[in-house]
Amino acid sequence: MSQPISRRKWITGGLTVGAAGVAATQIASRCGLIPPDSGGIWGPGETLTYAAQRVLTSGNSLAREFRPGQISTVAPVSGEPPEDFEYQRLLAQHFAEWELAIEGMVAKPSVFTLAQLQQMPATSQITHQACEEGWSFIAEWGGVQVSHILQAVGADAKAKYVVFYPFDSAWESLDMADALHPQTLLAYAMNGERLPTRHGAPLRLRVARQLGYKSIKYLSHIEVTDSLKEIGKGLGSSSPEGGYSWWAGI
């Protein structure tokens, strides 16, 4: 039978883990790998997870892609479309007047219609939308790479994040490594059809290498920035404001 752990061992072990967390945070800081939600009691863990993932996936590793026959017959969806007046107006007009504004640290602040986005080089992927709450499925997503959009507007090389705002109170952001990743899309199609309303029409973010809540729906505008401290509560997105991690890599 194992012996009970003494109070001294508990304290010593806690100090050891704490020291390791501080050391890891210091190393991550020197490498510029501190996530925006690095504060608080869980901060060292968030930092270690983010920094380790960034090191392990630094070679632009790809999320698994599937065959057409593996597409899910049911694509569960969480939440209802925004009740925002402007969104409902655009929805009633089948998004004929919808536009996506891109601003911030860009050489050419721009506004794109859905038709203009659809005329850009298109790409598609059949990937798994992973959700820890059970809204998981495999689908084909079609759209334009975020990297292409950033190139088109002349994103500043000093920018660190891309922030995605929908028509509701949620918002998300990606660091440049994920924003420029070839599987990160602005998706306007799903399974060969126009993106369904409840899946984010007319345009949603699709981040294949992170959990589903990062693929925010109902996009209205995008901001390129070098800091997230003055946006919301400064945690990088509305996700950590609700108890989730900013970094949601899979």
Side-chain angles (χ1 to χ4, degrees), residues 199-221:
H199 278 284
L203 192 74
R204 70 176 294 168
L205 179 64
R206 175 66 189 131
V207 190
R209 298 198 305 175
Q210 296 204 45
L211 292 172
Y213 65 82
K214 296 294 288 189
S215 294
I216 198 162
K217 302 184 289 186
Y218 313 112
L219 292 181
S220 66
H221 64 286

Side-chain angles (χ1 to χ4, degrees), residues 105-138:
M105 297 178 65
V106 298
K108 297 178 289 185
S110 303
V111 176
F112 297 104
T113 66
L114 186 58
Q116 287 173 323
L117 292 174
Q118 292 171 336
Q119 290 169 2
M120 294 179 181
T123 186
S124 66
Q125 58 177 255
I126 301 177
T127 49
H128 181 235
Q129 171 125 320
C131 178
E132 70 276 24
E133 295 183 354
W135 310 97
S136 302
F137 57 92
I138 296 171

Side-chain angles (χ1 to χ4, degrees), residues 33-227:
L33 295 175
I34 300 293
D37 58 344
S38 61
I41 189 172
W42 307 115
E46 298 288 357
T47 299
L48 183 58
T49 299
Y50 173 63
Q53 287 274 2
R54 272 287 159 259
V55 171
L56 292 172
T57 61
S58 60
N60 249 3
S61 60
L62 300 175
R64 179 185 175 186
E65 298 199 18
F66 297 82
R67 301 186 303 275
Q70 295 175 290
I71 293 174
S72 301
T73 56
V74 176
V77 62
S78 174
E80 298 297 328
E83 297 180 358
D84 176 85
F85 174 81
E86 180 64 9
Y87 180 81
Q88 290 295 325
R89 183 186 73 82
L90 293 169
L91 174 62
Q93 298 178 353
H94 305 289
F95 303 109
E97 297 180 5
W98 175 89
E99 294 177 327
L100 179 73
I102 304 179
E103 55 196 11
M105 297 178 65
V106 298
K108 297 178 289 185
S110 303
V111 176
F112 297 104
T113 66
L114 186 58
Q116 287 173 323
L117 292 174
Q118 292 171 336
Q119 290 169 2
M120 294 179 181
T123 186
S124 66
Q125 58 177 255
I126 301 177
T127 49
H128 181 235
Q129 171 125 320
C131 178
E132 70 276 24
E133 295 183 354
W135 310 97
S136 302
F137 57 92
I138 296 171
E140 180 180 13
W141 305 95
V144 57
Q145 293 174 326
V146 173
S147 60
H148 180 84
I149 297 292
L150 295 178
Q151 182 179 17
V153 299
D156 194 316
K158 296 179 181 178
K160 297 179 179 179
Y161 304 99
V162 182
V163 186
F164 301 85
Y165 297 98
F167 281 91
D168 55 27
S169 60
W171 62 283
E172 274 296 345
S173 71
L174 299 176
D175 63 11
M176 279 298 175
D178 261 323
L180 296 174
H181 190 270
Q183 288 179 311
T184 301
L185 310 181
L186 295 181
Y188 48 71
M190 178 181 175
N191 294 336
E193 303 289 341
R194 184 176 63 182
L195 188 66
T197 299
R198 294 188 68 206
H199 278 284
L203 192 74
R204 70 176 294 168
L205 179 64
R206 175 66 189 131
V207 190
R209 298 198 305 175
Q210 296 204 45
L211 292 172
Y213 65 82
K214 296 294 288 189
S215 294
I216 198 162
K217 302 184 289 186
Y218 313 112
L219 292 181
S220 66
H221 64 286
I222 293 174
E223 179 183 2
V224 181
T225 182
D226 62 351
S227 175

